[in-house]
Amino acid sequence: MENEKDITKEEFKETAGMQFARAVKPTGCILLLLILLGVLYLCFTSGTDPIPGYEAPQGTEYYSNRLDELQAELQEHVFPKLDGDEESRVENGKLTVVLENDSFAVSRSAILRYYDEKLFDFQRAGK
């Protein structure tokens, strides 16, 4: 009869996570969650400024009707700071920006950090 009890009786073993949670208590768990949220916040909000100190002089509303001014702004202040050769032209109500293949993604994201995507049509050089 005792052998049956031993067989049916399962021993409960704590996992490493359970032992850790018991050791740090609820206050420690809350503190760890707050630290995790802080780290995630820093990871998602920090980033290098592609053009240090640059700010767009005007907003999307202004440049939507003045694409030639946007083109001049990019040629004067933005393109010289980006890797690769860039060219632009006004076509079909948008500013078409032609970027080199090697730096396409980096240059495109740098421009879009300061200006709205609906102002642009991005193309790779050679296409």
Side-chain angles (χ1 to χ4, degrees):
M1 212 58 160
E2 279 186 43
N3 287 342
E4 284 182 17
K5 282 186 181 181
D6 290 339
I7 293 171
T8 58
K9 181 182 173 183
E10 295 180 26
E11 290 186 29
F12 180 74
K13 292 184 180 180
E14 282 188 328
T15 63
M18 295 170 93
Q19 290 174 353
F20 179 76
R22 185 174 35 85
V24 295
K25 310 255 191 263
T27 306
C29 289
I30 292 170
L31 180 63
L32 284 172
L33 287 173
L34 289 175
I35 291 170
L36 175 67
L37 288 174
V39 168
L40 288 173
Y41 175 78
L42 286 175
C43 288
F44 285 111
T45 59
S46 67
T48 58
D49 196 7
I51 304 171
Y54 179 77
E55 289 185 24
Q58 301 292 334
T60 303
E61 301 290 327
Y62 179 82
Y63 285 127
S64 64
N65 296 322
R66 297 170 183 90
L67 292 174
D68 54 331
E69 289 182 30
L70 175 60
Q71 181 182 19
E73 174 67 22
L74 290 176
Q75 288 176 345
E76 187 176 332
H77 295 105
V78 177
F79 291 162
K81 308 262 192 241
L82 299 177
D83 294 334
D85 294 328
E86 294 83 9
E87 66 176 77
S88 61
R89 59 188 175 273
V90 177
E91 290 181 339
N92 303 324
K94 289 190 172 192
L95 183 62
T96 300
V97 179
V98 181
L99 303 170
E100 283 188 6
N101 286 331
D102 296 341
S103 61
F104 181 83
V106 173
S107 296
R108 182 181 182 276
S109 66
I111 293 169
L112 292 180
R113 183 172 179 119
Y114 304 107
Y115 298 100
D116 193 354
E117 187 174 7
K118 70 181 183 179
L119 297 172
F120 300 98
D121 178 29
F122 291 99
Q123 295 179 354
R124 294 179 187 270
K127 286 190 174 184

